Amino acid sequence: MEELRETSWRAYQVTLAMMAVNIAGYILCTQMGEVVYNMGSMNAEKVLVDRQYYRFLTSMFLHADIEHIVGNMIYLIGLGQMLEQVIGHVRFAMLYLLSGLGAGAFSMMYAVLTGDFYDAVGASGAIFGLIGALFVLLALRDMGRRAQRRTHEAGGMPPRTDIVDAQGRAMPDGYESISVGKLAFVVVYMIYSGTRAERIDNAAHVGGLVCGLLIMAVMNLIKTRRI
């Protein structure tokens, strides 16, 4: 197994591309203001009544203000650098986009169930999908380590590095500081904070998280069956 020592920007080029689109979307918002928000926000009524299904996609790349986009892009670059190396460019792009679309669907369902129709924008639903995917990878890491430990104790092969990237290279120690418990605490706190704050589409956050968990689980199942 080849150990990964250096990481170039090509290792997370999809992350950078997603950031560029988000930034471009925000710049467009600053130039055209409410016109862009009115045309591209996630609004359940306009999706269902006017059949403006494109809003599922456009709302993912629009942001309300500078604090909104800066916060989301910090999360995106941090999570993207880790996940894209592990699962590869194509699967990372699928994970990000499908999580964002799923987050929009949850947001729409919540609006219909509560009768509270609102406009929502932001990449946070997709980002929660990345968090859900990371949760699955960490859980698999811990299960693998327990299995390796049992094998080693039974006289088998010694434990090895078990988080690898799409090319089979060992990942740096960044994952070592993250545990399932810590990540679960952060997620619960973030969702709780969303329930206490105004103008936060918590339904989209929960939807993105659930979609990320499911998508990463399915991707891993497909990968396991191919081995």
Side-chain angles (χ1 to χ4, degrees):
M1 183 182 297
E2 179 187 351
E3 193 166 339
L4 182 60
R5 295 299 184 184
E6 295 183 4
T7 303
S8 72
W9 65 269
R10 293 182 180 84
Y12 47 98
Q13 57 188 325
V14 176
T15 298
L16 296 176
M18 294 299 178
M19 287 185 64
V21 177
N22 275 287
I23 293 171
Y26 178 69
I27 292 174
L28 188 63
C29 290
T30 62
Q31 298 299 312
M32 301 181 66
E34 294 300 318
V35 174
V36 178
Y37 293 124
N38 290 338
M39 292 177 59
S41 65
M42 184 61 211
N43 184 292
E45 185 175 15
K46 293 176 181 177
V47 170
L48 295 173
V49 176
D50 299 331
R51 299 182 180 180
Q52 297 177 357
Y53 303 119
Y54 66 87
R55 290 177 180 270
F56 283 106
L57 183 63
T58 56
S59 61
M60 295 168 51
F61 297 102
L62 303 178
H63 289 81
D65 53 44
I66 187 65
E67 292 182 0
H68 191 200
I69 189 171
V70 168
N72 278 343
M73 293 305 98
I74 289 174
Y75 278 112
L76 176 55
I77 191 66
L79 291 164
Q81 285 188 69
M82 291 189 292
L83 289 170
E84 189 173 348
Q85 293 179 69
V86 175
I87 66 178
H89 306 307
V90 174
R91 294 204 299 167
F92 179 80
M94 291 175 58
L95 170 67
Y96 184 88
L97 293 173
L98 290 176
S99 294
L101 295 174
F106 269 69
S107 177
M108 183 182 70
M109 287 189 292
Y110 177 80
V112 171
L113 291 173
T114 61
D116 180 17
F117 295 96
Y118 51 84
D119 293 288
V121 294
S124 54
I127 290 169
F128 265 84
L130 302 184
I131 295 174
L134 179 59
F135 190 92
V136 172
L137 289 177
L138 294 178
L140 291 171
R141 176 199 67 183
D142 292 346
M143 288 190 294
R145 284 179 174 173
R146 285 193 292 269
Q148 289 175 24
R149 195 156 43 241
R150 288 193 295 268
T151 301
H152 179 58
E153 291 172 354
M157 296 294 291
R160 61 177 177 78
T161 303
D162 48 7
I163 294 234
V164 297
D165 69 3
Q167 283 73 47
R169 298 173 298 184
M171 296 297 291
D173 294 332
Y175 278 96
E176 297 305 314
S177 62
I178 309 173
S179 68
V180 171
K182 288 179 181 179
L183 188 61
F185 176 81
V186 170
V187 169
V188 170
Y189 176 76
M190 290 172 71
I191 292 176
Y192 171 75
S193 299
T195 64
R196 309 296 295 178
E198 296 182 1
R199 300 174 60 199
I200 298 296
D201 189 0
N202 226 20
H205 293 173
V206 174
L209 179 68
V210 171
C211 288
L213 285 166
L214 294 176
I215 293 166
M216 192 68 252
V218 170
M219 285 182 174
N220 183 74
L221 181 62
I222 294 172
K223 178 181 178 182
T224 301
R225 289 188 173 183
R226 286 179 177 176
I227 296 176

